[in-house]
Amino acid sequence: MIILTTLAAIAPTFDVEAASRAYLDTLSGAARAKSDAYFEGGYWMLLWSALVGVLSYLVMLRLGWSAKWRDLAERITRRRFLQAMLFAVPFVFIGALLTAPWEIYAGFVREKHYGLMNQSFGGWLGEQAIVLAVNALIMAVLIGIVFALIRWSPRRWWLWSAGAVTLLLAFIVMIQPVYISPLLNKYTPMAAGPLRDQILGMAHANHIPADNVYVFDASKQSKRVSANVSGLGPTIRISLNDNLLNRSTPAGVKAVMGHEMGHYVLDHIQWMIAQFALLLVGVMFALWWSVPRLIARHGARWGVSGPADLAAVPVYFLMVSLIMLVATPITNTLIRRHEIQADNFGLDAAREPDGFAQSAMQLSEYRKIEPGRVEEALFFDHPSGSNRVHRAMAWKAAHLTDLPVDQRGVVRPLPPPLNASIIPPSARAAPAPASNVQR
């Protein structure tokens, strides 16, 4: 009777708004201004990135490079699929050279300026070379498939191409955890201990077929915290980065892992592939309609004879850049809805509302924490920090009497990092300053 009376007295005293504000106010002053400036600058980065891409494709067309690459591929082989794959090589690598100044600014200089980059320029450049090589291989297969379909079905290629590209995407998602991600980071099994057992316990409770947790050395690249349950079928892998372990409490780690497991349990990978397929149908149809008209008007100057001409590849990508820029609010909304669902799942699975709020504050160090509604709808592919913290505190209020006594208060400051002993030696890194740890 005494315990029940005490719980009844505690429950009404929890103020969701006050608890949320206590967390939100831990990011203030210069740190908050820096976070807002970084994220708001990203709005313009979307536009400039698209325009830089469009400009690079126009250079390829106006200078006749695209037509020369086609001619070279045709001289080397008569097999059209191989011609398309050969065309992709100069298209990707010269395209990378054309956009290199912008990519260096956007991917290295700007990240360094905001304290989000740990790598030297040489280290960053080396990893970009690896990414470029992987992209070249994927692009060669993509161009080969799509142009084969254009020749095979001039009136319906847009529909068949949407399906083919979707299958290629699903294949990449399946092999990425095992064959692509390890090209950039070292993955090692997480050291045995209570936290690892709790993560696997959550996984098994939610029927996730994983018997190991992997730690990857993201601290060599940046200070962002991150984790994922990636792959499809036999390649399913639970991973978290060393920044998350170095900076977060066990409650924070479990909260993040509960969120990531939500993506798996709720079939978000499959749903995103399906939704991307529908978006692709629209994009491919727009290309089917617009590209022939552009070629009819400018093709003679560009050396492009028609939609099935390999020299038209930059025309297709030019239009894709513009279409995807306009579609950004749509793609952001699709992703953001899945993120909210995963948040709610993670709160139920981990039952760590304060850990979740602390993680949301860590992520808010590079995402604007309190945007307007329209701003969040247009530019955020994840819920804002204020949105996430408020939902965590609302969940806590609804489950207050179910939580242990030591979890019923509000923890205002961010707790100290975990003991480094839970991190494998190969994945250890010094704890980063609170103002710079990002995801």
Side-chain angles (χ1 to χ4, degrees):
M1 177 66 73
I2 294 176
I3 294 176
L4 293 177
T5 302
T6 302
L7 293 178
I10 291 175
T13 65
F14 189 84
D15 187 330
V16 172
E17 299 302 327
S20 299
R21 179 49 54 187
Y23 275 110
L24 297 178
D25 286 347
T26 61
L27 182 67
S28 60
R32 181 162 179 162
K34 185 177 182 180
S35 169
D36 288 353
Y38 175 77
F39 198 83
E40 290 170 357
Y43 306 161
W44 289 103
M45 299 290 286
L46 289 170
L47 174 62
W48 298 130
S49 291
L51 293 181
V52 167
V54 167
L55 180 60
S56 70
Y57 301 134
L58 286 174
V59 168
M60 296 177 189
L61 293 166
R62 293 295 296 271
L63 296 183
W65 294 352
S66 188
K68 291 177 181 177
W69 300 336
R70 172 205 59 205
D71 295 342
L72 177 61
E74 290 176 351
R75 287 197 299 270
I76 294 174
T77 180
R78 291 185 178 183
R79 296 180 180 274
R80 289 189 169 183
F81 193 85
L82 291 180
Q83 288 173 0
M85 295 187 74
L86 288 172
F87 179 94
V89 175
F91 174 70
V92 171
F93 285 97
I94 294 180
L97 289 176
L98 289 173
T99 59
W102 171 255
E103 295 297 336
I104 290 170
Y105 168 73
F108 182 80
V109 175
R110 186 170 185 264
E111 296 295 300
K112 202 80 170 179
H113 174 74
Y114 281 97
L116 303 178
M117 174 65 65
N118 286 347
Q119 286 179 300
S120 66
F121 180 70
W124 176 84
L125 195 62
E127 290 192 352
Q128 296 308 300
I130 295 173
V131 172
L132 185 62
V134 173
N135 287 342
L137 178 60
I138 294 171
M139 190 66 70
V141 175
L142 176 67
I143 293 175
I145 291 173
V146 171
F147 272 79
L149 292 171
I150 292 173
R151 293 190 300 270
W152 175 66
S153 179
R155 294 179 62 83
R156 295 287 184 268
W157 70 262
W158 55 273
L159 184 58
W160 309 125
S161 293
V165 174
T166 300
L167 291 176
L168 179 61
L169 172 66
F171 176 74
I172 294 170
V173 169
M174 183 177 68
I175 68 171
Q176 180 174 347
V178 178
Y179 297 106
I180 300 178
S181 296
L183 295 175
L184 300 178
N185 294 97
K186 183 177 181 180
Y187 285 72
T188 56
M190 184 176 177
L195 184 56
R196 176 183 178 276
D197 293 343
Q198 290 168 358
I199 293 172
L200 287 175
M202 279 196 295
H204 297 157
N206 290 287
H207 310 291
I208 298 175
D211 294 319
N212 212 335
V213 180
Y214 292 90
V215 179
F216 58 101
D217 56 345
S219 60
K220 71 176 185 178
Q221 293 144 339
S222 76
K223 298 180 174 65
R224 301 171 190 255
V225 299
S226 184
N228 58 74
V229 179
S230 55
L232 286 172
T235 64
I236 291 294
R237 173 176 282 186
I238 298 175
S239 307
L240 62 158
N241 72 15
D242 53 353
N243 291 326
L244 180 62
L245 285 178
N246 279 331
R247 179 124 190 272
S248 298
T249 62
V253 173
K254 288 189 288 183
V256 171
M257 298 312 299
H259 166 95
E260 298 301 333
M261 291 178 191
H263 286 307
Y264 175 86
V265 174
L266 300 173
D267 296 322
H268 283 169
I269 294 177
Q270 293 89 327
W271 275 108
M272 281 304 299
I273 291 174
Q275 291 168 346
F276 182 73
L278 291 176
L279 180 62
L280 263 178
V281 170
V283 171
M284 291 297 185
F285 181 81
L287 294 178
W288 174 83
W289 182 87
S290 62
V291 169
R293 286 163 173 77
L294 283 172
I295 292 174
R297 185 168 183 176
H298 304 287
R301 282 186 295 164
W302 295 340
V304 180
S305 61
D309 185 351
L310 275 178
V313 168
V315 185
Y316 285 99
F317 277 89
L318 184 155
M319 289 305 302
V320 167
S321 296
L322 296 177
I323 292 168
M324 294 310 295
L325 175 65
V326 174
T328 297
I330 298 174
T331 56
N332 281 349
T333 298
L334 292 175
I335 297 170
R336 192 172 61 251
R337 286 180 176 176
H338 286 167
E339 294 296 330
I340 291 172
Q341 292 171 3
D343 284 352
N344 295 336
F345 180 95
L347 285 166
D348 288 334
R351 303 185 65 80
E352 296 286 358
D354 287 296
F356 187 89
Q358 292 156 12
S359 297
M361 294 307 300
Q362 289 175 328
L363 303 182
S364 294
E365 292 169 5
Y366 80 105
R367 292 177 186 160
K368 188 174 183 179
I369 192 168
E370 293 189 88
R373 286 190 175 183
V374 174
E375 185 180 11
E376 186 165 358
L378 291 176
F379 297 110
F380 281 63
D381 61 358
H382 285 63
S384 64
S386 58
N387 181 316
R388 284 176 145 171
V389 168
H390 189 274
R391 279 187 291 112
M393 294 300 99
W395 187 96
K396 182 174 181 177
H399 298 82
L400 199 63
T401 57
D402 301 333
L403 295 173
V405 174
D406 61 354
Q407 292 186 26
R408 293 177 193 153
V410 178
V411 182
R412 292 175 181 267
L414 197 66
L418 293 172
N419 190 307
S421 63
I422 68 171
I423 308 172
S426 61
R428 288 182 187 170
S435 61
N436 289 327
V437 179
Q438 315 290 339
R439 181 185 178 190

